[in-house]
Amino acid sequence: MCGIVGVAGSIGERLGSALKKCLERLEYRGYDSAGIAVTGTGGITVRKGKGKINEVDARFNFTALDGLSGIGHTRWATHGKPSDENAHPHVDCTGEVAVVHNGIIANYRELKEQLMARGHRFISDTDTEVIAHLFEDYVKAGLPALVALRETIRRLKGSYAIALLYSHEPDKVFFARNVSPLVIGVGEGFNFLASDIPAFLNYTNRVITLHDGEYGYLTPSGIYVERNGEPVNVEDRVRVINWSPESAGKEGYPHFMLKEIHEQPRALRETWAGLDMDYVSKLGKAIAEARRVFITASGTSYHAGLILDYLLVSLAGLDAHAFNSSEYRKYIKLVKEGDILIAISQSGETIDTLMATRVFRERGAKVLAVSNVVDSTIPRESDYQLYTNAGPEIGVAATKTFTTQLMILTALAANAALHSGGMGKEAYSLVLNELEQAPDLVNTTIINVEARVRHIAGKLAVKTNAYYLSRGIGLPIAMEGALKMKEVAYVHAEAYPAGESKHGPIALVNQEFPVVFTVTDDDYLDPLEGNVMEMTARGAYTIGILPSRHYAKLGKVFTEVIQTPDASPYLLTIIQSIPLQLLAYHTAVLRGYDPDKPRNLAKTVTVE
């Protein structure tokens, strides 16, 4: 996610210099622009721009700025392309308010229209700018700054971590948190605010974690926190951090991959909050009316594409074809006007997917890009764009970008099915309600299964081969699980339809051969039970990942069972990805490998 820094007080150097250093310690989060603002007796000064911190500093000289308090930001674009105008901090019409923000303001369009109708002038395309103008309205109406902040956040829907400067109270940094992380660094004669601990760890290791719904302000000598208008005592929350700056960048996790697996509830919430369902409905209608739907992607994104393919065919009754991007030439002669290509790429730069996009557009197809990076090449060259808003992903093996892709693609498929007549309004509402619950169910899954998964990983760590089997919509998830095991643990893992195993692959199965089954579809329970028994009869070490409702029927037939919460097959694709990710991660660590840096792999493939 975006990086936020705030500081009130004197820290023995210019605020601009300190803010720059703090932002540099958040560079691991990924960003496209940077900026700072400081306030003092002369008002607020803002310097910001597109590019890396050192590049923007070279243009605007951050380190020359000083003042009584300051805020800084590194932006990961969600609303509006990377540009100088869209970089944070954002200001109000008067220049007396400056704000930085991490998260998604779901109702920003509605708020922006209301504010523009009252004469406010907007400079950027971001959702963040509405915060500055709302605050401006409230202080103009005579409200004290803290009350203005409280009334501002009452108007906001979605997720946010906010740091705000107000020139009439120059020694304060105001803040508010909902879903998006925000922590306070407690100092002597100064106090820090940041989205992540590493930002200020070289200045103080005393930390207070803010909770959802809390807001307040920092001064050089104090910290004031409220919730719903009532003061909150946070003194008993102060804890001392003994991490090194490097390990603090991982928030105490030993690897980014594990951190990002645990970030998935938050990533899913922000993806859901950022979805414009009117736009998704428009896209669903276009897909339902297309002559033919093509879906292209590579690696993990291809597995997400297979889920979309399954849903468009089985729910919407559409003529859909998913293919690996590198094989796009096979389909060139089929493409005509009236077709749609859905191109999925977490980076938006995958070269094979980009080549497919260009060729299909040349032949008259419309292209819908699904990406995690705003204004990357594939979305720029496409007719329509959907963004996952998962935040930057440091680990090479995709985790949160995959599950957020599944969330968006399932919502898209449900809309296509509604427009095609394959799904009624009641069934459609049930799917959307389930997707809204996905963050909580994923959080429950992580809490409930990790110890069990770690135990099973101890058994797999000494193996050299494994099968991943499933049926129906669970098959692409099995494929993704096998890919993860290959990527980070270097165990040769192959995924097959469970019914295909007796047509050849079962010849390799002998005593203690690992076979992982993902169980999703109710319709496949009986044949899947038979497939498990076939493996058991040959001495296989069978692992079942299944929802609780199927434990009574299948729980006793597996050697090991990982139970997940009950949900529809559509939502189980997201939920059951979690234990598979954890299984690959813990197996890799037990085998002595660094899962963040798998050999021979790059995060983004940019050459054919």
Side-chain angles (χ1 to χ4, degrees):
M1 308 299 177
C2 304
I4 288 177
V5 177
V7 60
S10 174
I11 50 176
E13 61 182 301
R14 289 180 176 176
L15 282 187
S17 173
L19 289 167
K20 176 177 179 284
K21 291 176 183 176
C22 291
L23 290 177
E24 286 174 334
R25 295 186 192 104
L26 297 178
E27 284 190 295
Y28 71 89
R29 299 169 74 90
Y31 65 102
D32 51 60
S33 57
I36 67 171
V38 299
T39 185
T41 55
I44 294 175
T45 302
V46 176
R47 295 182 181 176
K48 62 177 186 173
K50 177 183 175 182
K52 298 301 181 184
I53 293 167
N54 284 333
E55 296 168 353
V56 182
D57 179 43
R59 291 165 60 194
F60 300 113
N61 196 7
F62 289 165
T63 53
L65 293 181
D66 203 5
L68 298 175
S69 62
I71 56 177
H73 191 268
T74 51
R75 178 177 187 252
W76 174 269
T78 58
H79 294 76
K81 66 182 182 180
S83 68
D84 288 355
E85 294 78 14
N86 289 332
H88 295 213
H90 292 289
V91 299
D92 68 327
C93 297
T94 66
E96 296 177 345
V97 180
V99 64
V100 297
H101 158 241
N102 180 14
I104 304 287
I105 306 303
N107 62 334
Y108 87 97
R109 287 190 181 89
E110 172 190 343
L111 294 171
K112 185 173 182 178
E113 288 172 1
Q114 294 170 3
L115 289 160
M116 290 177 69
R118 292 203 294 273
H120 286 269
R121 303 181 310 277
F122 281 77
I123 296 171
S124 76
D125 301 316
T126 69
D127 56 340
T128 302
E129 195 177 352
V130 300
I131 300 169
H133 293 285
L134 280 172
F135 186 89
E136 175 192 359
D137 261 9
Y138 285 118
V139 292
K140 276 186 175 179
L143 295 183
L146 184 64
V147 179
L149 177 63
R150 183 182 71 203
E151 295 306 307
T152 295
I153 63 176
R154 280 181 176 172
R155 301 278 300 280
L156 305 179
K157 296 178 182 178
S159 58
Y160 51 79
I162 296 168
L164 181 147
L165 299 181
Y166 180 44
S167 64
H168 293 279
E169 300 188 31
D171 63 335
K172 293 177 180 174
V173 176
F174 294 89
F175 59 81
R177 172 194 166 145
N178 185 53
V179 180
S180 298
L182 204 56
V183 294
I184 293 170
V186 183
E188 297 291 338
F190 62 86
N191 287 297
F192 274 95
L193 184 74
S195 52
D196 210 347
I197 293 169
F200 53 68
L201 197 55
N202 280 11
Y203 296 97
T204 179
N205 64 348
R206 298 171 65 216
V207 174
I208 298 170
T209 300
L210 291 166
H211 297 171
D212 285 352
E214 294 181 340
Y215 58 92
Y217 58 82
L218 308 178
T219 67
S221 58
I223 298 163
Y224 181 78
V225 180
E226 274 190 8
R227 182 184 177 91
N228 295 326
E230 297 295 326
V232 177
N233 183 1
V234 294
E235 290 182 7
D236 58 353
R237 286 195 219 159
V238 177
R239 59 192 176 106
V240 177
I241 298 297
N242 294 317
W243 306 332
S244 68
E246 181 184 18
S247 66
K250 301 168 186 172
E251 295 181 2
Y253 291 99
H255 300 96
F256 281 110
M257 182 178 177
L258 185 61
K259 174 178 179 282
E260 287 159 358
I261 291 172
H262 281 255
E263 281 180 344
Q264 286 175 108
R266 187 173 78 227
L268 288 163
R269 280 192 189 94
E270 299 214 341
T271 292
W272 186 253
L275 269 185
D276 180 341
M277 292 309 297
D278 290 337
Y279 183 59
V280 175
S281 178
K282 172 187 172 183
L283 295 177
K285 185 173 186 291
I287 290 168
E289 295 175 350
R291 188 184 75 97
R292 183 179 283 128
V293 182
F294 294 96
I295 304 160
T296 192
S298 297
T300 288
S301 294
Y302 173 63
H303 299 150
L306 289 174
I307 294 291
L308 177 61
D309 175 283
Y310 188 96
L311 294 174
L312 291 180
V313 173
S314 63
L315 293 183
L318 300 180
D319 185 6
H321 303 266
F323 62 92
N324 291 105
S325 299
S326 58
E327 296 295 320
Y328 70 88
R329 290 174 178 84
K330 172 184 175 181
Y331 295 93
I332 288 176
K333 291 186 178 179
L334 290 180
V335 183
K336 292 182 172 60
E337 288 189 13
D339 293 341
I340 282 183
L341 174 70
I342 301 171
I344 309 168
S345 167
Q346 66 89 13
S347 69
E349 304 289 348
T350 310
I351 188 63
D352 296 321
T353 309
L354 176 60
M355 297 302 295
T357 296
R358 288 173 173 170
V359 170
F360 273 59
R361 287 197 83 199
E362 287 171 2
R363 299 188 68 87
K366 296 290 186 181
V367 178
L368 163 59
V370 178
S371 179
N372 192 45
V373 183
V374 172
D375 205 43
S376 49
T377 303
I378 294 171
R380 276 204 315 272
E381 296 193 12
S382 298
D383 301 282
Y384 314 105
Q385 302 81 25
L386 281 173
Y387 293 108
T388 52
N389 293 325
E393 193 169 60
I394 308 303
V396 170
T399 52
K400 63 180 181 176
T401 52
F402 177 64
T403 52
T404 52
Q405 283 174 352
L406 294 183
M407 172 175 270
I408 278 185
L409 296 175
T410 302
L412 185 65
N415 274 275
L418 181 66
H419 286 290
S420 73
M423 177 180 282
K425 290 184 178 179
E426 185 176 347
Y428 169 79
S429 295
L430 288 173
V431 172
L432 263 60
N433 287 338
E434 272 208 317
L435 288 173
E436 192 170 6
Q437 299 304 312
D440 292 333
L441 291 173
V442 166
N443 188 57
T444 298
T445 302
I446 293 170
I447 292 169
N448 290 346
V449 308
E450 188 157 17
R452 185 72 179 155
V453 168
R454 195 181 298 114
H455 161 75
I456 296 170
K459 303 287 185 68
L460 293 186
V462 297
K463 304 296 182 181
T464 55
N465 297 281
Y467 281 149
Y468 283 65
L469 306 182
S470 189
R471 288 176 178 259
I473 201 171
L475 179 58
I477 302 306
M479 296 170 69
E480 173 61 13
L483 177 62
K484 285 288 164 287
M485 186 63 73
K486 284 182 280 197
E487 282 181 315
V488 300
Y490 314 144
V491 173
H492 176 245
E494 294 300 327
Y496 289 95
E500 187 70 13
S501 61
K502 56 182 171 289
H503 294 284
I506 201 170
L508 291 179
V509 175
N510 53 21
Q511 198 68 27
E512 294 297 308
F513 189 101
V515 184
V516 181
F517 286 85
T518 55
V519 183
T520 53
D521 302 64
D522 296 0
D523 295 341
Y524 288 115
L525 287 188
D526 288 337
L528 199 59
E529 181 180 12
N531 299 138
V532 178
M533 298 310 295
E534 290 168 353
M535 295 296 172
T536 301
R538 287 153 181 84
Y541 174 61
T542 57
I543 302 159
I545 301 174
L546 65 157
S548 298
R549 67 177 180 274
H550 295 327
Y551 183 82
K553 181 175 178 62
L554 296 180
K556 303 298 183 184
V557 302
F558 292 105
T559 312
E560 307 273 8
V561 172
I562 300 170
Q563 283 193 68
T564 65
D566 276 330
S568 72
Y570 321 124
L571 190 55
L572 283 173
T573 60
I574 296 174
I575 293 171
Q576 294 192 345
S577 299
I578 306 305
L580 292 171
Q581 293 169 356
L582 288 168
L583 189 61
Y585 169 80
H586 287 293
T587 302
V589 171
L590 290 169
R591 286 167 65 85
Y593 301 122
D594 181 351
D596 287 345
K597 300 174 182 177
R599 64 191 180 210
N600 305 328
L601 296 180
K603 185 66 179 169
T604 304
V605 178
T606 56
V607 292
E608 281 193 283

